[in-house]
Amino acid sequence: MTRQSRTSPAGSERSLHQAYDTALLDLDGVVYAGGEAIAYAAESLAAARAGGMHLAYVTNNALRTPDAVAEHLGELGIPTEAGEVITSAQAVARLISEQVEPGSKVLVIGGEGLRVALRERGLVPVESADEEGLAAVVQGYGGPDLPWSRFAEASYAIHRGVPWYASNTDLTIPGARGIGPGNGAAVEVVRIATGAEPQVAGKPLPPMHRETVLRTGAEQPLVVGDRLDTDIEGAFNGEVDSLLVLTGVTDAAQLLRAEPRHRPTYVDRDLRGLLAGQPEVVAAGAGFRCGGWTAVAAAGVLELRGEGDPDGSVDGLRALCAAAWTQAGDGSCALDAGKALARIGL
């Protein structure tokens, strides 16, 4: 399927791990949260790989190196090679390398992942805005303990006219204790201090998609993510299909309000969705039916009718998506869905 104004989740008779050659998987909120594996992730990914699907892990988190990410995944029971990990640090390092001279100095505001990616591109990471011949400033997630003084260091250089780059602008990041501020929040600090705008590489922007294609060689990829404004929008921009899982940032209510570029091809509860076909959503009178559920938009409210299998509650969400997205067209749905979502526990 190609880029379009989607009004309903799609169906698939074939299991997704057989219908697509490569899964481009986000990490935070999809495979793990707060360093711990999300339920069903390890076994689902092992089964998908055994069934012939290639797995690649595509993350906007620029903190850790691919080697460190691969090692962590292995500890979680997901054997992974470093070459299967693609980070926004790699994407932004390539972007910088195309605009500055080889061997240029780059001020790093972030973690080791950025430093390793810059060296891979023949650039020299430095720590001070006072370095002679500074060619760029790059900012990426540096963990919750990144000192405030690092934001000041970036501001000093940017005020002197040094070009500014950001690995990504995710405002939040999921963790073991909940949702915390992400690199986008830190970027806002520097933006406020300088009035400047960075060049951004990460999802949903083209540099990240290009980096992923270059490193994986995927011909029929499926983007798998938990965020509408990065994973799903990135798939939309790249004109490839996507699967939203409900294990991270996006909840059911946000999905119903999604504007066209944030509407996934498929939606499922977790990574077990890779191993199954996707039920079709069909028009049913004034509404839409999936499984035993029928969703109808009426008098400013989304209603859910029927008595679907409780274990198939995502079928009810799929039907609600069709009703909401059709009602919204190219906009964002403003219908009240509270009672409907409560019926299916989402």
Side-chain angles (χ1 to χ4, degrees), residues 74-147:
E75 293 169 351
L76 298 179
I78 306 170
T80 305
E81 300 292 332
E84 296 174 315
V85 178
I86 300 97
T87 74
S88 63
Q90 294 170 322
V92 76
R94 188 186 297 271
L95 182 64
I96 295 169
S97 71
E98 293 171 342
Q99 299 181 29
V100 304
E101 295 296 323
S104 292
K105 296 177 182 178
V106 180
L107 174 62
V108 175
I109 311 300
E112 187 62 15
L114 280 174
R115 296 178 181 87
V116 169
L118 290 168
R119 294 187 190 106
E120 183 184 39
R121 290 285 148 216
L123 301 171
V124 180
V126 299
E127 302 302 313
S128 173
D130 296 330
E131 285 277 352
E132 185 177 349
L134 192 63
V137 176
V138 63
Q139 188 171 359
Y141 184 66
D145 299 321
L146 188 68

Side-chain angles (χ1 to χ4, degrees), residues 297-328:
V301 175
L302 278 175
E303 299 178 2
L304 195 58
R305 303 169 182 172
E307 294 295 336
D309 182 349
D311 290 336
S313 59
V314 178
D315 287 346
L317 178 58
R318 295 178 180 114
L320 286 168
C321 284
W325 297 350
T326 299
Q327 180 78 12

Side-chain angles (χ1 to χ4, degrees), residues 220-240:
Q220 194 169 6
L222 177 69
V223 170
V224 184
D226 70 308
R227 303 182 67 108
L228 301 180
D229 59 348
T230 56
D231 306 313
I232 305 309
E233 185 175 340
F236 178 86
N237 290 339
E239 300 189 13
V240 298

Side-chain angles (χ1 to χ4, degrees), residues 154-155 158-159 162-164 187-188 190-199:
S155 298
I158 294 165
H159 272 299
V162 178
W164 178 29
V187 167
E188 285 301 312
V190 178
R191 179 186 281 119
I192 291 168
T194 63
E197 291 290 336
Q199 292 188 54

Side-chain angles (χ1 to χ4, degrees), residues 39 54 136 165 170 200-201 258 270:
H54 300 294
Y165 300 81
D170 297 14
V200 183
D270 51 51

